[in-house]
């Protein structure tokens, strides 16, 4: 095609009031080598990566006395809370209480080196303890001689190693694939499961039934075993639970009535578990001091002093094989609770966490913690809230908390001998009760996205009738399925345009023709006859390509007529897929001339989607033959998308030279790109890149044209790829020029 023909196609010979083309700066095609350069870090970037592995290096040099005072208060408060909680959670994990102390010590000691959050406290948590406890029971059912702590430490080492490697690979984004309704369902189901499982010990029931069964079965067994409840155990457990709730309600009421002392009441409420444990331990001591061999109710008993169980964890392959199927659930529990809590407190306190760095912190904690007897640990919501509200100023709060736990391990273990086990169950039930989602939260889900209520309900039901790990799998899979379905069935839209006045300047806006929310006073103008403007709603990839083009082709066939009507002498000459003449008269319909695709929602494409686009192009070219349908693309943001489209012939003028109906079926996807006749360089070649410095922007100013040209609005358009447009307005203007130069 010569330059004159090209000018005719592009409408460059139109009257002076037609917009002219402005050549943008050259944009070279991306290369695979360039992609690898972007992916792999440079030496400087690798150095920064190593430095960021230890965030404390950045803030420790600014540490001051004021920060120390805030960290000291918060560390002492959290340390006092974590001691009774960690012992209670160890019982929940079917481990001796000292393992809870080991876990809380190592969690807060290691985390502050790698932390990007000042508010998080790593240690034993209720949900992870419940998961570990169920795994221990399952493994011991097959290997009764394997100690529970050996199983728990093996879980910690393996989970820690996996999470640590994920952090090194900067995979913190993976947590974003788990939506909030799935997390809330998991939390609520876990809390109900834990509460129902602790009721047996709270009431001191002696009946033999498993507390690792589904919730409905535990509730049935608990009700049937009510006659076996021990009066003194039930009295200690229930009274401890009631005291905790009365204590909190009283402090909250007093804080509302006396705002000046709200901080004091907050600290008093935060220490309620400590106060209750001390109170009931003193009562237990008074009752059992003369009957140590036959106590009136179950006691914690002897707690080893210090790190008696420190040493390298023992990993047995047979044991690992048994709990390996539950490792994904363990990793998800460790990740989602910690990342969700840290992000929440980061937003509240105006700082940003690094999820990948948090994975490294969790991984190292669980990798090295088992060497002193720590089982899997992660961030705790309740203790983190206390630490945040206590005035924590930096992650160094964790070191102070570790000192408090260490002192307790060497000085308080003997005094905790008389602590009632039922009292610890009351502490657990009280702690996890706050994890149950409130009805108004579910109603808010319904107002925002009703389908998310379905995800929540499925997760909760699975947790109640099955297990916590199965609840995680169910919600994650259901959420992923909904996401893929929405992407695959994303509705494309045919667009119309309307003109508005913006600061005395008129400009065009484009809206879907089927937009039900559009103001009725807004009149949309449809594109020119035979021209269609189509917008992709949610990307353009292999899951949704067919859905998009089914709608596109059906609409085009409905609103255009074929360029020639086939007549057959014999009935048998008609192809099987030709329905024959239609009863409707389509002679008034226009011929198909051009299609404009809006790529504003498209970030990248793939081979499948581009192949489908080529098939649609061939199909519509046959319908419009001998006219070649023009394909215009607007708002392409990604160079790789331009490269993919150009690889199959889109964007270039040479398409106008191709025959409308090929003599042979076009089954080849990638065809050689021709030399552009508007320039001496080949599209995508190295010569074109070298010529980029010679490309220039031609501007024609009003009343300032040396060659006598008229002042006309400009359209940002590439010389080598004139069918790739900056916006829909320029695309439509280009089509208008083409139609004016080439009427039907």
């Amino acid at each position: 095609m010569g330059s004159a023909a090209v000018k005719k196609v592009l409408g460059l010979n139109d009257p002076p009031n037609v917009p002219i083309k402005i050549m943008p700066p050259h944009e070279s095609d991306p290369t695979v080598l360039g992609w690898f350069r972007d992916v792999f870090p440079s030496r400087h970037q690798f150095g920064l990566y190593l430095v960021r592995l230890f965030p404390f290096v950045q803030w420790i040099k600014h540490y001051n006395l004021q920060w120390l005072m805030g960290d000291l208060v918060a560390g002492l408060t959290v340390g006092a809370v974590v001691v009774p909680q960690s012992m209670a959670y160890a019982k929940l994990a079917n481990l001796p209480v000292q393992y809870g102390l080991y876990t809380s010590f190592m969690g807060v000691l290691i985390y502050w080196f790698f932390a990007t959050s000042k508010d998080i406290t790593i240690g034993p948590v209720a949900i992870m303890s419940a998961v570990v406890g169920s795994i221990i029971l399952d493994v011991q059912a097959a290997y009764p001689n394997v100690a529970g702590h050996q199983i728990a430490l093996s879980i910690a080492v393996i989970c820690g190693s996996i999470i640590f490697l994920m952090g090194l690979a900067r995979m913190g984004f993976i947590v974003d694939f788990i939506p909030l309704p799935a997390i809330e369902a998991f939390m609520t189901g876990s809390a109900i499961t834990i509460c129902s499982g602790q009721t047996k010990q709270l009431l001191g029931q002696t009946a033999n039934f498993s507390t690792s069964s589904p919730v409905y079965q535990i509730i049935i067994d608990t009700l049937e075993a009510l006659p076996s409840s021990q009066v003194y155990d039930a009295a200690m457990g229930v009274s401890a639970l009631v005291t905790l709730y009365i204590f909190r309600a009283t402090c909250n009421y007093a804080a509302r009535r006396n705002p000046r002392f709200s901080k004091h009441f907050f600290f008093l409420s935060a220490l309620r578990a400590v106060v209750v444990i001390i109170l009931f331990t003193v009562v237990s001591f008074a009752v059992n001091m003369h009957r140590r061999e036959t106590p009136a109710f179950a006691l914690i008993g002897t707690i080893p002093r210090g790190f008696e169980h420190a040493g390298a964890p023992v990993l047995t392959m047979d044991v690992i094989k048994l709990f390996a199927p539950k490792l994904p659930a363990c990793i998800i529990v460790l990740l989602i609770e910690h990342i969700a809590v840290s992000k929440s407190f980061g937003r509240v306190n105006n700082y940003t966490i690094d999820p990948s760095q948090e994975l490294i912190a969790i991984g190292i904690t669980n990798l090295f913690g088992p060497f002193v007897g720590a089982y899997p640990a992660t961030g705790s919501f309740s203790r983190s809230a206390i630490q945040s509200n206590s005035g924590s100023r930096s992650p160094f709060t964790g070191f102070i908390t570790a000192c408090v736990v260490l002192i307790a391990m060497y000085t308080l273990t003997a005094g905790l001998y008389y602590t009632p086990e039922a009292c610890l169950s009351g502490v657990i039930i009280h702690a996890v009760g706050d994890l149950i989602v409130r009805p108004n939260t579910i109603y808010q889900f319904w107002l925002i996205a009703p389908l998310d209520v379905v995800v929540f309900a499925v997760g909760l039901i699975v947790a109640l009738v099955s297990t916590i790990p199965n609840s995680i799998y169910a919600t994650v899979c259901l959420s992923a399925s909904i996401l893929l379905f929405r992407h695959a069935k994303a509705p494309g839209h045919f667009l119309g345009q309307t003109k508005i006045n913006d600061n005395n300047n008129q400009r065009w806006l484009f809206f879907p023709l089927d937009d039900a929310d559009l103001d009725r006073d807004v009149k949309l103008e449809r594109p020119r006859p035979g021209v269609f403007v189509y917008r992709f709603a949610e990307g353009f990839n292999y899951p949704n390509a067919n859905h998009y083009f089914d709608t596109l082709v059906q609409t085009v066939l409905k609103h255009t007529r074929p360029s020639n009507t086939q007549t057959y002498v014999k009935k048998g000459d008609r192809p099987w897929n030709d329905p024959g003449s239609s009863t409707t008269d389509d002679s008034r319909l226009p011929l198909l001339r051009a299609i404009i695709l809006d790529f504003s929602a498209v970030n990248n494409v793939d081979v499948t989607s581009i192949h489908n686009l080529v098939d649609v192009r061939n199909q519509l070219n046959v319908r419009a033959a001998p006219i070649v349908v023009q394909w215009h693309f607007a708002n392409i943001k990604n160079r790789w998308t331009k490269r993919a489209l150009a690889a199959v012939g889109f964007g270039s003028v040479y398409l106008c030279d191709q025959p409308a109906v090929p003599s042979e079926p076009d089954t080849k996807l990638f065809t050689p790109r021709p030399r552009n006749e508007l320039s001496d360089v080949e599209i995508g070649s190295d010569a074109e890149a070298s010529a980029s410095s010679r490309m220039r922007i031609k501007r024609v100013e009003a009343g300032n044209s040396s060659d006598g040209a008229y002042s006309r609005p400009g359209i940002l358009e590439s010389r080598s790829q004139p069918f790739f447009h900056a916006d829909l307005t320029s695309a439509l203007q280009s089509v208008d020029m083409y139609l004016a130069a080439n009427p039907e």
Side-chain angles (χ1 to χ4, degrees), residues 268-287:
L268 193 59
S269 178
L271 297 174
R272 61 186 179 273
V274 181
V275 175
V276 169
I277 289 291
I278 294 175
L279 175 62
F280 280 83
T281 300
V282 171
V283 172
S284 175
F285 174 76
V287 172

Side-chain angles (χ1 to χ4, degrees), residues 263-449:
K263 197 72 173 179
H264 300 80
F265 288 115
F266 163 76
F267 282 108
L268 193 59
S269 178
L271 297 174
R272 61 186 179 273
V274 181
V275 175
V276 169
I277 289 291
I278 294 175
L279 175 62
F280 280 83
T281 300
V282 171
V283 172
S284 175
F285 174 76
V287 172
N288 298 301
M289 59 182 300
H290 298 299
R291 46 187 305 176
R292 183 162 181 166
E293 300 299 328
T294 57
F297 36 79
L299 306 177
I300 288 180
T302 304
I303 302 176
R305 185 170 177 265
F307 298 96
E308 182 178 297
H309 299 281
V314 179
L315 302 179
T316 305
M317 188 55 64
D318 293 337
V319 173
I320 295 175
K321 289 180 180 178
L322 284 177
F323 67 72
K326 295 187 178 180
L327 282 177
C330 295
I331 293 173
I332 292 175
V333 172
L334 290 173
L335 296 186
I336 61 176
E337 185 167 1
H338 179 91
I339 301 299
V341 171
S342 58
K343 283 186 176 181
S344 175
F345 284 104
R347 287 190 293 267
V348 170
N349 295 318
N350 195 28
Y351 63 85
T352 303
I353 68 157
D354 182 354
S356 298
Q357 183 62 32
E358 293 297 316
L359 297 191
I360 292 176
I362 301 173
I364 291 181
T365 299
N366 288 285
L367 185 59
F368 291 101
F371 287 88
V372 296
Y375 70 91
T378 189
S380 168
F381 181 82
S382 59
R383 295 194 297 272
S384 297
I386 293 173
Q387 179 166 312
S388 176
N389 294 327
S390 298
S392 173
R393 302 300 301 273
S394 75
F396 190 71
T397 304
F399 179 80
I400 299 173
T401 302
C403 294
V404 175
V405 177
L406 185 64
I407 294 172
M409 291 170 59
Y410 279 95
T411 60
L412 300 180
T413 52
L416 296 173
Y417 176 90
Y418 289 98
T419 303
E421 288 191 352
C423 184
L424 291 182
S425 295
V427 170
I428 294 174
I429 294 174
H430 178 72
V432 301
D434 294 334
L435 299 179
I436 299 176
V437 67
R438 302 296 185 264
N440 61 337
T441 303
I442 302 175
Y443 179 66
Q444 189 179 37
F445 289 169
W446 177 261
L447 294 178
I448 297 173

Side-chain angles (χ1 to χ4, degrees), residues 92-94 128-139 212 326 467-469:
L92 186 59
N94 294 316
M128 190 66 219
S129 299
V131 173
V132 171
S134 65
I135 293 176
I136 289 175
L137 293 178
D138 293 341
V139 174
S212 61
K326 295 187 178 180
T467 62
I468 296 175

Side-chain angles (χ1 to χ4, degrees), residues 109-381:
L109 179 65
I110 295 178
Y111 176 67
W112 77 274
F113 284 99
F114 308 94
T116 59
S117 171
K118 72 176 184 66
D119 300 307
I120 299 302
T121 298
I122 286 188
V125 295
I127 297 176
M128 190 66 219
S129 299
V131 173
V132 171
S134 65
I135 293 176
I136 289 175
L137 293 178
D138 293 341
V139 174
Q140 287 182 335
Y143 296 97
N145 296 327
V146 178
H149 70 272
Q150 178 181 340
I151 303 170
L153 302 188
S154 300
I155 298 172
V157 170
I158 296 175
C159 289
S161 302
I162 296 173
I163 295 175
F164 176 67
L165 293 176
M166 292 173 60
L168 290 179
R170 318 309 289 175
M171 295 178 63
F173 65 89
I174 199 170
V175 183
D176 297 333
F177 287 95
I178 304 176
L180 180 60
I183 296 176
E184 293 288 358
F186 156 70
M187 293 286 191
T188 302
S190 301
I192 297 175
T193 302
I194 293 169
C195 291
S196 60
Q198 287 299 302
T199 304
K200 177 181 180 181
Q201 185 170 294
L202 181 76
L203 301 178
Q205 294 177 337
T206 58
N208 185 19
F209 64 89
S210 174
T211 57
S212 61
S213 303
V215 173
Y216 74 93
Q217 188 62 50
I218 296 176
I219 295 176
I220 294 174
D221 293 338
T222 301
L223 293 176
E224 291 178 347
L226 283 177
S228 67
S229 302
Q230 302 299 306
V231 176
Y232 293 113
D233 288 274
M236 297 298 288
V238 173
S239 57
L241 180 60
V242 172
T243 303
L244 286 168
Y245 279 108
I246 292 176
F247 203 115
R248 183 175 67 178
T250 303
C251 290
N252 292 339
Y253 176 77
R256 290 194 300 269
R257 293 296 302 270
N258 301 278
R260 292 183 302 170
F261 302 101
S262 59
K263 197 72 173 179
H264 300 80
F265 288 115
F266 163 76
F267 282 108
L268 193 59
S269 178
L271 297 174
R272 61 186 179 273
V274 181
V275 175
V276 169
I277 289 291
I278 294 175
L279 175 62
F280 280 83
T281 300
V282 171
V283 172
S284 175
F285 174 76
V287 172
N288 298 301
M289 59 182 300
H290 298 299
R291 46 187 305 176
R292 183 162 181 166
E293 300 299 328
T294 57
F297 36 79
L299 306 177
I300 288 180
T302 304
I303 302 176
R305 185 170 177 265
F307 298 96
E308 182 178 297
H309 299 281
V314 179
L315 302 179
T316 305
M317 188 55 64
D318 293 337
V319 173
I320 295 175
K321 289 180 180 178
L322 284 177
F323 67 72
K326 295 187 178 180
L327 282 177
C330 295
I331 293 173
I332 292 175
V333 172
L334 290 173
L335 296 186
I336 61 176
E337 185 167 1
H338 179 91
I339 301 299
V341 171
S342 58
K343 283 186 176 181
S344 175
F345 284 104
R347 287 190 293 267
V348 170
N349 295 318
N350 195 28
Y351 63 85
T352 303
I353 68 157
D354 182 354
S356 298
Q357 183 62 32
E358 293 297 316
L359 297 191
I360 292 176
I362 301 173
I364 291 181
T365 299
N366 288 285
L367 185 59
F368 291 101
F371 287 88
V372 296
Y375 70 91
T378 189
S380 168
F381 181 82

Side-chain angles (χ1 to χ4, degrees), residues 488 490 492 494 534 536 540-541 544-557 595 597 599 608-617 619-620 631 633 645 650:
F494 288 91
Y534 190 72
F536 298 121
F540 176 46
N541 301 101
N544 55 23
N546 280 323
H547 179 69
Y548 280 139
F549 290 136
D550 286 346
T551 305
L552 176 64
V553 172
Q554 289 175 9
T555 304
V556 169
L557 297 182
I595 293 178
L597 297 182
F599 270 54
T608 305
S609 59
I610 293 297
H611 189 278
N612 287 352
L613 183 58
V614 171
D615 290 342
V616 172
R617 178 182 67 185
Q619 178 184 357
L620 296 181
W631 289 81
F633 300 84
L645 292 170
F650 288 107

